[in-house]
Amino acid sequence: ENLYSLFSDSHHSKKKKKKKKKEEEHQNTITTTRTLQNSATTTTTLNDMLREYPGILTLSLEGNLQPTMRFYNQTGYTSLDEDWNLITRSDGAPPIIRGRYIAASLFGRLLPRYHYDRKQTTSNSRRRRRRPPPPPPPPIHVLVGCTDVDFCTQRNLNLQEYTEFRTKESSRLKFLSQFDTWLQTGRAIDAPTTPPPDDELV
C-alpha cells in the first residue's frame, strides 16, 4: 500500500508539473500576443508579423521581446509609452516594427553592431577639427537584416575589427542589458558577472 501510494503521488506530481508548464506556456503566448499587438501599427499588423516570423509567439516576453523593444526604444528606433504601445514619431511617420526586427538576436547582433558603429563614428567625428555631429545610427533594416560583411560595407567599418569587438565585448554588453532588465523586472542575470565597462559602451 505504501509503495502504491508512493508511485501514485509521484505520478500525480508529474502531471501537476506538466499541467503547470502548459499553463505557463499558454499564459506566455497570451501575454506575448498582447505585447505584439501593442507593437503593431496600421502599416504592420500582428498578422504581418506572424507571417514573416511565425516563431515569434514562442519567444519569452521578459527574456526576448521586452529587452529587444527596450533596446529599440532607448536607441531611438522606436518610442514606447508606459504600456509598451508604439508612439507616432515626431515627423508624423508611423513607426514600423516588423516581426524579424523583434526576433533579431539582441546579444548576438543588435547590441554589438549598434555599439561598434556608434563607437567608430563618434571617434571619427572627434578627429575632425570642427567636430560635426556624428552621423545617425544605421537604419534599422541595415542593423537587423544585413550580413556582417554587408553591414560593415554599408557603414564603412572594418569587418575584422568589428568581429574582434563582438567577440571581446558581447559578454559585457549582454551583462549590461540583463542588468538593466533586472533593475526593472527582477529577472535573473544569466550572463557572466563581468563588471560594467567604464567607457562609452555603458
Side-chain angles (χ1 to χ4, degrees), residues 26-90:
H26 179 65
Q27 185 60 42
N28 180 73
T29 301
I30 293 175
T31 310
T32 298
T33 301
R34 289 173 179 169
T35 301
L36 292 173
Q37 285 176 331
N38 290 345
S39 301
T41 66
T42 55
T43 54
T44 304
T45 66
L46 178 58
N47 287 336
D48 294 332
M49 291 183 180
L50 294 177
R51 277 197 298 268
E52 185 176 44
Y53 193 87
I56 197 171
L57 284 179
T58 65
L59 297 177
S60 166
L61 179 66
E62 293 184 354
N64 300 107
L65 298 182
Q66 289 184 346
T68 300
M69 290 303 297
R70 189 178 294 115
F71 164 80
Y72 288 136
N73 188 53
Q74 291 174 341
T75 52
Y77 286 105
T78 62
S79 293
L80 300 172
D81 63 18
E82 294 180 355
D83 296 322
W84 294 84
N85 296 304
L86 285 171
I87 301 173
T88 302
R89 289 168 13 190
S90 58

Side-chain angles (χ1 to χ4, degrees), residues 116 158-170:
Y116 182 73
N158 184 288
L159 176 62
Q160 182 178 348
E161 291 180 358
Y162 164 69
T163 303
E164 292 173 354
F165 172 88
R166 184 182 60 192
T167 301
K168 180 181 178 181
E169 300 293 345
S170 285

Side-chain angles (χ1 to χ4, degrees), residues 78-129:
T78 62
S79 293
L80 300 172
D81 63 18
E82 294 180 355
D83 296 322
W84 294 84
N85 296 304
L86 285 171
I87 301 173
T88 302
R89 289 168 13 190
S90 58
D91 59 5
I96 299 177
I97 290 294
R98 300 175 61 176
R100 64 190 178 100
Y101 296 168
I102 299 178
S105 172
L106 176 62
F107 306 132
R109 174 166 296 207
L110 302 180
L111 287 172
R113 288 185 176 186
Y114 179 84
H115 284 291
Y116 182 73
D117 180 271
R118 294 293 82 201
K119 181 178 181 180
Q120 294 303 110
T121 53
T122 301
S123 63
N124 289 339
S125 65
R126 286 175 179 172
R127 294 191 189 106
R128 302 174 185 176
R129 292 182 178 179

